[in-house]
Amino acid sequence: MISFNNDYGQTAHPAVIEAVIKAQGETFPGYGEDEACDAAAQRIRSLCGAPGCQVHFLPGGTQANLTLIASVLRPHQGVLCADTGHIASHETGAIEATGHKVLTLPHQDGKITPAQIQDFVARHRADDTREHMPQPGLVYLSNTTEFGTVYTAPELNALSACCRQLNLPLYLDGARLGYALAAADGQLSFSDIARCCDAFTIGGTKQGLLYGEALVITNPALQKDFRYHIKQRGGLLGKGFLMGLQFKALLQDGLYLSLAQSATTQALRIRHAFTAQGIPLFCDSPSNQQFPILTAGQMASLANAFIFARMMPLDDNRWLARFCTSWATLPQEVDQLLKAIQKLDSIKA
Ligand SMILES: Cc1ncc(COP(=O)(O)O)c(C=O)c1O
């Protein structure tokens, strides 16, 4: 079986593993206060053109999200987010468990717009009973989104301007940031993200590391005491140096973006194969996740040789499926999938 199930199903890129192996026999200070974490953080500051930003390494994406969000919000505040956003749909109420409601806005292809944020906040502020509801205190986006779509630089500029005008910090969940940057094909950079957002993550788990996310806090007002917050949320790893070693290797010589680019190239081959067969895609994803709409027969045929996600049944007896490429996907694996997609011609039901 060839897996297109997700982008975190393999160990790590050899350069990352090698960096960990090379450290065999060395002794490191604990809790991320080591030279590898310092060097990786410095590399991130320089990639982002943000010398004053704080960089923290946390083991998981959910943990990074809840730690940042709970640290920013006051007790009566909630976080605005697309109704399909990861914190709203796939984190088991982790944000709510910190005491803060996720305030959802209807998505368009996984995204939200400045007009929606403006409208929500204006209605809240004009409501005589507003003190009976959570106050919007932060905006959450992810890039790529849950549907693999990508916020472009102009879209992020507009969202950032809107949030600043409303005095709301903007947080971008970058569990798949590399895939977003690769899909944007040079039109979006780490420094655009750092300029537009008050805080964001650079994903490692889905981008070639064993595990780990880098949380970057650009807004000095959000930086105070942040390591206390990480520790209280269980994210301050004794062996934090392992994330420093891994990120340092992944961010060397353009490896992060070149791995993401390779995944994107392979995903676009898959997308073209589905459209060439007249099989519709749920949305126009330019990144490593593709969402074809398949009949039960088509799904069963592909499931003979490939692992992929059955996202949900649709009203007309068809299914929304997800094919996900990763930094590790081989062109030969995609060749085999393309052959199988070409054979779907005969299966309509
Ligand atoms: C956009 C996004 N954010 C956060 C997460 C959560 O990451 P973790 O599973 O490491 O908690 C995921 C994982 O699927 C994700 O896709």
Side-chain angles (χ1 to χ4, degrees), residues 7-8 58-65 85-87 90-91 140-146 171 173-176 201 205-206 211-213 289 322:
D7 39 19
Y8 45 87
L58 284 90
T62 304
Q63 194 168 42
N65 288 341
H86 206 266
I87 56 167
H90 282 101
E91 294 189 359
Y140 165 98
L141 312 170
S142 76
N143 216 12
T144 62
T145 69
E146 286 306 291
Y171 169 55
D173 172 348
R176 294 193 173 88
T201 53
T205 298
K206 298 175 169 68
Y211 67 91
E213 313 286 296
Q289 301 179 86
R322 181 184 79 166

Side-chain angles (χ1 to χ4, degrees), residues 175-196:
R176 294 193 173 88
L177 185 58
Y179 298 125
L181 299 184
D185 203 16
Q187 302 305 303
L188 183 64
S189 65
F190 282 111
S191 43
D192 291 327
I193 304 291
R195 186 174 38 75
C196 290

Side-chain angles (χ1 to χ4, degrees), residues 17-38:
I17 302 274
E18 201 183 312
V20 175
I21 291 174
K22 258 193 179 160
Q24 180 79 27
E26 271 185 65
T27 302
F28 294 86
Y31 298 103
E33 296 190 295
D34 59 273
E35 279 180 15
C37 284
D38 277 354

Side-chain angles (χ1 to χ4, degrees), residues 95-168:
I95 305 303
E96 286 85 348
T98 67
H100 301 283
K101 192 162 177 171
V102 178
L103 307 168
T104 56
L105 299 171
H107 76 106
Q108 290 120 39
D109 287 343
K111 299 192 205 176
I112 52 174
T113 63
Q116 286 177 289
I117 296 168
Q118 227 139 21
D119 180 56
F120 188 100
V121 173
R123 277 190 291 113
H124 177 87
R125 290 180 184 172
D127 190 328
D128 286 343
T129 63
R130 64 185 170 279
E131 288 156 356
H132 299 239
M133 290 167 254
Q135 182 187 58
L138 175 72
V139 173
Y140 165 98
L141 312 170
S142 76
N143 216 12
T144 62
T145 69
E146 286 306 291
F147 290 117
T149 49
V150 173
Y151 285 100
T152 63
E155 285 171 335
L156 283 177
N157 285 335
L159 282 158
S160 177
C162 160
C163 289
R164 281 177 187 156
Q165 193 239 327
L166 296 169
N167 205 17
L168 291 178

